[in-house]
Amino acid sequence: MIWTYVSLIVAAIAIAVAAYFYKWVEKLPVAEGKIAGIGQLIRQGAFTFLKVEYRILAIFVSVVTVIIFVIFPSPIWEGKVGPNIIAALSYILGALFSGIAGYVGISIATIANVRSASAAKSGLAPAYMAGFRGGAVMGMAVVSTALAGTALLHLLTGSADIVMAFSFGASSLALFAKAGGGIFTKTADISADLAGKVELGIPEDDPRNPAVIADNVGDNVGDVAGMGADLFDSQVAALAAALVIAAPLGQIQVIFCFSALGLLASIIGVLVARVSDTGDPGKALNSGTLLTCGVFAVLTLVATLLSGFEVRIWGAAIIGLVVGVIIGFTSDYFTGDGKKPVYKVAEACQNGPAFTILTGFSYGLVSIMPSIIGIGLAALGAYKILEPLGGNFPMFGISISAIGMLSIIGMIISNDAYGPIVDNARGLAEMGDLGDDVLDITDKLDAAGNTAKAITKGFAIGAAGLTVIALLGAFQEVVKGITGDVIEFSMMDPLVFFGALVGAAIPAVFSAMLMIGVNRNSQKMLEEIHTQFDTIEGLKEGKEGVAPDYDKCIDIATKGAIKELIPAGLVSILLTLIVGFVGGVLAVGGFLIGNIVTGLFLALLMSNAGGLWDNAKKYIEEGNFGGKGSDAHKAAVIGDTVGDPFKDTAGPSINTQITVVSLVASIAASLFVVFSIF
Amino acid sequence: MIWTYVSLIVAAIAIAVAAYFYKWVEKLPVAEGKIAGIGQLIRQGAFTFLKVEYRILAIFVSVVTVIIFVIFPSPIWEGKVGPNIIAALSYILGALFSGIAGYVGISIATIANVRSASAAKSGLAPAYMAGFRGGAVMGMAVVSTALAGTALLHLLTGSADIVMAFSFGASSLALFAKAGGGIFTKTADISADLAGKVELGIPEDDPRNPAVIADNVGDNVGDVAGMGADLFDSQVAALAAALVIAAPLGQIQVIFCFSALGLLASIIGVLVARVSDTGDPGKALNSGTLLTCGVFAVLTLVATLLSGFEVRIWGAAIIGLVVGVIIGFTSDYFTGDGKKPVYKVAEACQNGPAFTILTGFSYGLVSIMPSIIGIGLAALGAYKILEPLGGNFPMFGISISAIGMLSIIGMIISNDAYGPIVDNARGLAEMGDLGDDVLDITDKLDAAGNTAKAITKGFAIGAAGLTVIALLGAFQEVVKGITGDVIEFSMMDPLVFFGALVGAAIPAVFSAMLMIGVNRNSQKMLEEIHTQFDTIEGLKEGKEGVAPDYDKCIDIATKGAIKELIPAGLVSILLTLIVGFVGGVLAVGGFLIGNIVTGLFLALLMSNAGGLWDNAKKYIEEGNFGGKGSDAHKAAVIGDTVGDPFKDTAGPSINTQITVVSLVASIAASLFVVFSIF
């Protein structure tokens, strides 16, 4: 049990580091002028959203808690109530821990944004540190709570199934946080851009724009809280899948070992991260990631040799990690500044918006291939490397490669949360009139954030891909536990094939519902903005002392987000249940397979096409192909607007959708076995 | 063998009907004035394309013939050369028959278009009959050659494997015809629209536009020859898959029985098709389809009872047919005029092009679900209905449901080929100055063609879905013939899973390459149009006697189409071979599964989203949301331009891509068994 305890200790260290960084950032000075007040508005807006979201979530979690109590791990009418109470409590705990991590993230991000903007007055290095350490608080908070929660539950109950319930709690929250936050942020972003930049010709982040605070709030609730919940969810799901598969093999300890050392490597990575005033913040982020990978590889090899784990297991973890890094850098190629795809899309903008869309969409389609083959190779390699150990070890290999890929997640989240913080800092610098020098620095920080984000997204999708394959293995294990049979999910079985086709349609419908939601909300917010411009005197002209009603826009985004995401989430869950009760575990297995395949397909397509359009627009704004205001720029803005819900709402929410559905399948498996029609 | 002979007889009747209709259309009068000359230009352009295409194809087919001779049905170094010679010849025959059907189609379509436009002077009914009977020539030609070729080969060789080679010949041609024609038609369409309507503000089909003839040629080579080759391919592939699976079960005769009676039903359907001058041509097309379905169901039931076939087999065929009709009408809902999705997209156009794209894309995503579930249900139902017969009968059920869905294909092709003919007629009426009354009539005929097209496309994708599932069954059967083992394609096998992920990426890369091809060619053609406008004096102003150089545009579209499609086709085929030689038959099985799932996904998405944008534009042009020239209309035009390569190039080519890859897998299976790395 030593590595379970080590996990708890490392998690405690990570929490201490987070607390230290939190204090460190909090103590940084705030520039004089309007900036503190505006920062306060953003902070309040973010917490308003969180409050509404958590209230709805509480209802959802309560309902699901009752359902879990009734059916999991075995239906209560079979007589054993004790484990069900524990499972229900674990479910609540999963949601709670993820919620706390999100809360901490929002809290630090809305402090760090103001500090980073203020620090930019003294140069790039201090501004970078404020942003990065703010992000690191989030990174440490997420990973430590995920690992500590899992370790604690396993220590107390000794059951891997219970961790599934914990994971489902985390997924429930992630679905709300990621999809809801995604709808919020893009509703605000699109409306602010259309009303401000396109219709009125005022700059981005202009304080006259009623949607401008909502836009900055969106960065926090979508990119910080949403992304944090998403990766919390991925990590716990990977742990849960690995534990379920590892339990019969007696390999629990190696999972905690690798996870603990991964977190330790991330702690080292975030502590040593630095940049000089003349340095490149993008390179600083990437070299931190690579350092963390190296530390992880060495630490785990030493631990493997000392603890007598199979070296092949270490190999599987490293395969996952290496493929993760490769996928990350591949998505950087497809969306990165200065690379061919971005250039081609920018070039196509000259021929009008139709060509912008077609070219971006086409390269988005092409970008699927390397990542999806990478995931396939990682799974194949991890399976094959553990095949000589026999039994279910090969499947365990896939789950451990997911653990490997997610090992450095603490560092990844830190980099990723840095993005919205400095993005906010840029907005604050603009709204707070901090001057052009500060804007230059925050622009540089922001650009580095975008590159880091592309890599993180590739990483997140890759890890999710391996995790959901492992969850499929876990589902097989769960069914074996119930029926005693190993089901193979043969695609020549019509139930499996039928399930696969239904499952394939889920990510499409789910993402369509989110995007239609963004559309609908943006319309409402645009109407509100027009009303304010028409009724508040002097607002358009920027008269001294006249301010728009920011809260109304925040309110529209909040209510709309919650309203739109609930049907999308329910459709996914209900269809899983319908397929299960109609076609039984075979159909559900197929359903998961179809869901994984098209889910990865669509997630990669949308994330990468969206990133491409965004960066093509930026490339034109740098003065290429006519620069700002040209027809090419107008076409690029249209591409970017299409890409917004692609890359920040639908694309990244699909991961969560797949995880939720996989866990629902495992949790309801005992019912499918008994009650299905076929 | 009686039904094999009946198939040959019915095919002969169909050829006679085609010949009769051909003469009938040919004898119709041609209006005086420019129209005959313009019609001649279109006809010449279409044959120019066919000539270039067939020349390249001949090279391709020669190479593949040699490969087939060397490896199929068994490698020649194993000693048996005879069957390989027959297989190679069958391959050539498949390509040849498909080529002839396409040639006949182009030939009649470029006669019927002029006659239909001319007949419109006397009213709607005669114009409709010219268009419909022209289309019926194509329908009869395609189905009779497909059925006669298959029956003849099976009669002469008694081998189902040989039919696979015949099918592969048809697929090779279809890949060129569909993808090449698709690139041609959209290159011309987009360029003509952008240069004409958008830049110069001249109407559609204005003879001053240098791309206008190429545009009308495109309708013929893309929609007539391409679609014909596609459905020829689907039908032969369905027959081949069914024969391979049926051979060990002794159920060959029922396949020929149902196919022959399906063709007979179609003959009856096309012979009785009529519309009155005040009637609705759309309803006439649909009621013809439903009549054919009814006749088919009755005839096959009677034949089943008289011939002593299992009634359950008839049930499987009817399941396929019913689901085909349902899928067809579902896609009509998602793309049809007056339905909610079209209204919503048109409404979104008011908010600019970004919302047009997002809304259309979202509804396109939603539209995947009913069709894909329909395909799944058909496969499941057909499997289950034949399960009591044991053995491999359930898989045979799936193949026979594909036969059932494709049984009325003669009628479907007739309806579908009607579309481009009347579309051309509309163009000829405009270019030939036949007056507003004629334009009104041709507009009505054209609109009916669009609805029929939507239904046909749904049908074609549904049938392709079932066919490729059956081809997967055939692949399993082929492997069993080589190794003696039944492989189950368990998704828990990492090779299968790896193959599935690679296969999932193929349709994405394939369609991206085609769309990038259309982009690139359109640029070239636009440049050519601009050059002509700049250098040919009096052209812009429409000076008497000044004509553009139409041939140059046709030449650009032709060469570009061939150049772009070859790499796209080769990538699909080479990756199949690579996966096979690396991962063996298990990986290839997974590869086919992944390819089918995302192929259907993408084909449905692209076809339906494209249709939606097209019809949303038309809805606005009818005077809604500001009508022609409004900002909403401009946004709708952008959506339509994006949708063009979606629905007419990439979307419908994916079917063929999947079929080709499935057949490559079966044909190369014996090599994968021996030479694969894993």
Side-chain angles (χ1 to χ4, degrees), chain A residues 190 194 344 348 351 353-355 357-359 361-363 365-366 368-369 372-373 375-377 379-380 383-384 387 395 398 469 472-473 476 487-498 500-502 504-509 511-513 515-516 518-520 522-523 526 571 575 582 593-594 596-598 600-602 605-606 637-639 641-643 645-646 678, chain B residues 190 194 344 348 351 353-355 357-359 361-363 365-366 368-369 372-373 375-377 379-380 383-384 387 395 398 469 472-474 476 487-498 500-502 504-509 511-513 515-516 518-520 522-523 526 571 575 582 593-594 596-598 600-602 605-606 637-638 641-643 645-646 678:
Chain A
I190 290 177
L194 279 186
K344 284 280 172 190
N351 302 310
F355 289 97
I357 301 294
L358 282 171
T359 312
F361 190 78
S362 298
Y363 279 104
L365 282 171
V366 175
I368 294 168
M369 181 160 250
I372 214 169
I373 291 183
I375 294 170
L377 280 176
L380 182 58
Y383 188 101
K384 287 283 168 192
E387 206 166 32
M395 199 65 218
I398 294 179
I469 299 173
L472 188 64
Q476 191 191 32
I487 38 170
E488 285 295 340
F489 306 118
S490 158
M491 287 306 278
M492 305 312 284
D493 185 305
L495 284 171
V496 178
F497 204 94
F498 170 71
L501 287 178
V502 181
I506 300 297
V509 174
S511 44
M513 289 172 85
M515 289 197 292
I516 291 173
V518 170
N519 271 9
R520 196 160 20 213
S522 307
Q523 297 316 322
L526 272 173
V571 162
L575 271 165
V582 171
I593 292 160
I596 291 171
V597 170
T598 61
L600 288 176
F601 184 95
L602 209 50
L605 167 64
M606 292 187 139
V637 169
I638 291 168
T641 310
V642 171
F646 267 44
F678 280 103
Chain B
I190 291 177
L194 280 185
K344 283 282 172 188
N351 302 309
F355 289 98
I357 302 293
L358 282 171
T359 311
F361 191 78
S362 299
Y363 279 104
L365 283 172
V366 175
I368 294 168
M369 181 159 250
I372 214 168
I373 291 183
I375 294 170
L377 280 176
L380 183 58
Y383 188 101
K384 287 284 169 193
E387 206 165 31
M395 198 67 217
I398 294 179
I469 299 173
L472 188 64
Q476 190 191 32
I487 40 169
E488 285 295 341
F489 305 118
S490 157
M491 288 307 279
M492 305 313 284
D493 186 304
L495 284 171
V496 177
F497 204 95
F498 169 72
L501 288 178
V502 181
I506 300 296
V509 174
S511 45
M513 289 173 84
M515 289 197 292
I516 292 172
V518 170
N519 271 8
R520 195 159 23 212
S522 307
Q523 297 316 321
L526 272 173
V571 162
L575 271 164
V582 171
I593 293 161
I596 291 171
V597 171
T598 61
L600 287 176
F601 183 95
L602 208 50
L605 167 64
M606 293 186 137
V637 169
I638 292 168
T641 311
V642 171
F646 268 44
F678 280 102

Side-chain angles (χ1 to χ4, degrees), chain A residues 644-662:
Chain A
D644 268 340
F646 267 44
K647 73 178 198 303
D648 292 323
T649 309
S653 300
I654 292 173
N655 290 350
T656 318
Q657 180 270 315
I658 305 177
T659 319
V660 167
V661 159
S662 301

Side-chain angles (χ1 to χ4, degrees), chain B residues 309-596:
Chain B
F309 298 135
E310 280 286 344
V311 180
R312 287 176 177 274
I313 297 177
W314 177 78
I318 296 300
I319 287 177
L321 182 62
V322 169
V323 170
V325 173
I326 292 173
I327 294 175
F329 284 93
T330 309
S331 47
D332 183 43
Y333 168 77
F334 276 101
T335 62
D337 216 6
K339 308 293 192 320
K340 188 186 152 198
V342 165
Y343 178 85
K344 283 282 172 188
V345 174
E347 190 185 48
C349 289
Q350 296 176 101
N351 302 309
F355 289 98
T356 309
I357 302 293
L358 282 171
T359 311
F361 191 78
S362 299
Y363 279 104
L365 283 172
V366 175
S367 77
I368 294 168
M369 181 159 250
S371 297
I372 214 168
I373 291 183
I375 294 170
L377 280 176
L380 183 58
Y383 188 101
K384 287 284 169 193
I385 205 171
L386 285 193
E387 206 165 31
L389 302 185
N392 208 19
F393 266 98
M395 198 67 217
F396 178 62
I398 294 179
S399 72
I400 209 78
S401 73
I403 299 279
M405 203 185 265
L406 285 163
S407 60
I408 59 158
I409 198 76
M411 187 68 195
I412 296 283
I413 299 177
S414 305
N415 282 350
D416 202 54
Y418 157 92
I421 292 174
V422 295
D423 192 357
N424 254 251
R426 197 217 162 274
L428 286 162
E430 172 93 39
M431 289 184 277
D433 297 325
L434 294 189
D436 282 347
D437 288 351
V438 170
L439 271 179
D440 272 357
I441 288 176
T442 50
D443 272 340
K444 260 189 211 157
L445 294 176
D446 192 18
N450 279 320
T451 310
K453 201 170 166 183
I455 296 177
T456 316
K457 267 189 192 156
F459 221 92
I461 294 173
L466 282 179
T467 302
V468 290
I469 299 173
L471 279 174
L472 188 64
F475 177 69
Q476 190 191 32
E477 199 62 41
V478 169
V479 174
K480 191 177 143 201
I482 300 166
T483 65
D485 297 330
V486 177
I487 40 169
E488 285 295 341
F489 305 118
S490 157
M491 288 307 279
M492 305 313 284
D493 186 304
L495 284 171
V496 177
F497 204 95
F498 169 72
L501 288 178
V502 181
I506 300 296
V509 174
F510 177 77
S511 45
M513 289 173 84
L514 296 187
M515 289 197 292
I516 292 172
V518 170
N519 271 8
R520 195 159 23 212
N521 282 343
S522 307
Q523 297 316 321
K524 278 187 209 147
M525 197 180 284
L526 272 173
E527 275 167 35
E528 173 62 29
I529 296 172
H530 292 150
T531 312
Q532 291 201 19
F533 274 125
D534 291 346
T535 56
I536 302 178
E537 228 167 288
L539 179 59
K540 260 190 204 167
E541 300 74 23
K543 213 169 136 189
E544 195 67 40
V546 175
D549 186 350
Y550 299 122
D551 284 347
K552 278 226 174 118
C553 285
I554 294 172
D555 192 52
I556 289 171
T558 303
K559 288 201 181 126
I562 303 293
K563 208 180 117 196
E564 298 291 349
L565 87 89
I566 290 174
L570 281 184
V571 162
S572 314
I573 293 172
L574 288 179
L575 271 164
T576 315
L577 296 176
I578 291 173
V579 167
F581 285 120
V582 171
V585 287
L586 283 173
V588 170
F591 180 84
L592 295 183
I593 293 161
N595 199 332
I596 291 171

